[in-house]
């Protein structure tokens, strides 16, 4: 099965490469969107890769090439939905009891290390190691918060772009409500 997946992805990549060379090919962004959906479904690539190399690339191509206005709206919507899903995951983690506990432990550990280094000296090996570990943990937490903000910005921006490109119909109500909830 994984061999079939690799072959399918290879064929899709070949189609993308062929259509990328054709400046008038409206299939290029559609292929990128298809690849993004497939990679997301199979969980075979990092979200940042899917975001930048597939979905954002599809939006950028459509914005530069005016022959695919309907695909531009679809690309913005797919990018908004993808970003929204990853925003929700980051937000759920950052507001979870687990994360709050980790933050509390970090704060307590930081105070403990300060006291330890004050008592034993700034070159105390265990204290230095603990301080380094705390720095790594704080950096991870900061990165998650930054990712959350980036996904939120991408979500809002692309929902707005999608809604601006599409005339109003009741199918868009859910997207309007979601955008409003993100802005509140």
């Amino acid at each position: 099965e994984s061999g079939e997946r690799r072959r399918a992805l290879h064929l899709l990549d070949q189609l993308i490469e062929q259509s990328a060379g054709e400046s008038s090919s409206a299939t290029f962004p559609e292929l990128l969107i298809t690849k993004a959906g497939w990679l997301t479904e199979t969980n075979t690539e990092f979200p940042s890769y899917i975001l930048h190399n597939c979905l954002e690339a599809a939006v950028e191509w459509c914005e530069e090439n005016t022959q695919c206005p309907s695909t531009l709206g679809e690309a913005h919507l797919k990018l908004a939905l993808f970003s929204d899903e990853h925003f929700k995951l980051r937000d759920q983690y950052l507001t979870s009891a687990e994360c709050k506990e980790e933050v509390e432990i970090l704060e307590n550990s930081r105070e403990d290390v300060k006291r330890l280094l004050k008592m034993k000296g700034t070159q105390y090996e265990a204290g230095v190691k603990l301080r380094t570990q705390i720095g790594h943990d704080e950096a991870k937490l900061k990165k998650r918060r930054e990712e959350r903000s980036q996904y939120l910005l991408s979500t809002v921006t692309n929902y707005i772009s999608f809604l601006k490109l599409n005339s109003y119909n009741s199918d868009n109500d859910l997207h309007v409500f979601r955008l409003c909830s993100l802005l509140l």
Side-chain angles (χ1 to χ4, degrees), residues 1-178:
E1 186 176 306
S2 67
E4 289 176 11
R5 287 182 184 180
R6 281 195 300 274
R7 280 193 298 277
L9 183 58
H10 179 69
L11 289 172
L12 183 57
D13 283 336
Q14 284 180 329
L15 287 171
I16 289 170
E17 194 174 304
Q18 288 172 357
S19 66
E22 304 168 19
S23 61
S24 63
S25 175
T27 59
F28 178 68
E30 292 173 6
L31 289 168
L32 288 174
I33 292 168
T34 301
K35 181 178 179 179
W38 191 80
L39 292 173
T40 301
E41 187 68 30
T42 59
N43 201 21
T44 52
E45 198 57 72
F46 289 109
S48 59
Y49 175 87
I50 297 168
L51 181 76
H52 300 300
N53 295 26
C54 297
L55 296 171
E56 286 178 352
V59 167
E60 288 170 14
W61 192 93
C62 288
E63 288 175 341
E64 293 170 4
N65 298 283
T66 58
Q67 65 264 27
C68 61
S70 64
T71 306
L72 178 58
E74 180 189 358
H76 276 295
L77 179 58
K78 295 289 185 184
L79 182 50
L81 293 170
F82 181 84
S83 297
D84 197 5
E85 185 62 33
H86 288 278
F87 164 74
K88 288 177 198 172
L89 291 171
R90 300 311 184 280
D91 191 55
Q92 286 171 355
Y93 173 75
L94 289 170
T95 57
S96 71
E98 177 187 351
C99 182
K100 289 177 183 171
E101 187 178 314
E102 284 179 23
V103 168
E104 189 177 312
I105 289 170
L106 270 174
E107 290 170 0
N108 292 338
S109 296
R110 197 178 313 116
E111 291 303 316
D112 291 345
V113 167
K114 281 182 187 177
R115 283 193 299 275
L116 181 66
L117 291 174
K118 189 175 182 180
M119 288 181 351
K120 298 277 187 170
T122 58
Q123 300 304 315
Y124 182 62
E125 187 176 343
V128 172
K129 285 181 181 179
L130 284 171
R131 186 172 53 198
T132 302
Q133 183 59 47
I134 290 169
H136 291 305
D137 292 344
E138 288 173 334
K140 279 192 239 178
L141 186 61
K142 181 181 177 188
K143 183 177 184 208
R144 287 182 176 150
R145 287 179 177 144
E146 288 170 354
E147 286 175 342
R148 178 188 175 276
S149 296
Q150 290 168 349
Y151 280 120
L152 176 61
L153 179 62
S154 177
T155 301
V156 169
T157 302
N158 285 286
Y159 272 137
I160 290 171
S161 296
F162 166 74
L163 293 169
K164 283 170 53 177
L165 288 168
N166 292 289
S167 57
Y168 176 78
N169 65 51
S170 60
D171 293 341
N172 294 338
D173 284 351
L174 189 58
H175 304 304
V176 171
F177 292 138
R178 179 60 181 149

